[in-house]
Amino acid sequence: MAEKKQKVKNIVKWTGTAGIESAKKLQTELQKAINANQEIFLDLSELEDIDLTGIQLIIAAKKEAEASQKNFLLKGQIPHAIMEYVSGCGISLENFTEPAAEKQDAPEEDKNA
């Protein structure tokens, strides 16, 4: 059976471990998404472990997307253990996350009250 050529999705989902052992595969997934889309989302909601290589991949992908005038955001709930590790490394992912839905959907009168 011939493989169908599919459009590259703009949501990349990492599961399991994002580290040195899987770095090439993860980097390739991110690169394909950046090359094919104007807006890229990285979903870490099912990520169990990350090391400095995984963090570096996230930072590099954001920088590359911004250099190409594209949006790169983390999507979904990032597991607490992942956030603790990243924070422990002295890195903040605050500028990487999508805005909270309640901020986007708030009625005009609530924003100016």
Side-chain angles (χ1 to χ4, degrees):
M1 177 184 253
E3 285 186 37
K4 292 181 183 177
K5 191 169 187 172
Q6 297 181 350
K7 180 183 172 203
V8 177
K9 294 181 181 179
N10 72 331
I11 299 175
V12 176
K13 185 168 189 137
W14 286 0
T15 60
T17 300
I20 190 75
E21 299 85 11
S22 56
K24 185 63 179 167
K25 176 183 172 269
L26 299 174
Q27 191 274 336
T28 300
E29 289 175 349
L30 289 172
Q31 190 64 55
K32 285 180 181 178
I34 290 169
N35 289 344
N37 298 286
Q38 189 63 33
E39 190 166 57
I40 304 92
F41 295 96
L42 177 58
D43 183 348
L44 303 178
S45 63
E46 294 182 21
L47 192 63
E48 296 170 15
D49 194 22
I50 193 166
D51 67 13
L52 285 174
T53 302
I55 295 169
Q56 288 173 328
L57 287 171
I58 294 169
I59 294 169
K62 181 156 182 75
K63 286 182 178 181
E64 182 174 343
E66 288 176 347
S68 301
Q69 298 180 349
K70 297 181 178 190
N71 295 321
F72 179 88
L73 297 168
L74 298 179
K75 181 175 184 59
Q77 182 69 36
I78 301 170
H80 183 70
I82 301 297
M83 287 301 291
E84 277 190 347
Y85 179 77
V86 172
S87 290
C89 293
I91 299 167
S92 171
L93 296 178
E94 189 174 298
N95 293 331
F96 289 67
T97 57
E98 59 186 334
E102 51 276 7
K103 289 181 184 175
Q104 291 177 352
D105 298 334
E108 280 301 314
E109 59 269 11
D110 289 344
K111 291 180 182 176
N112 297 320

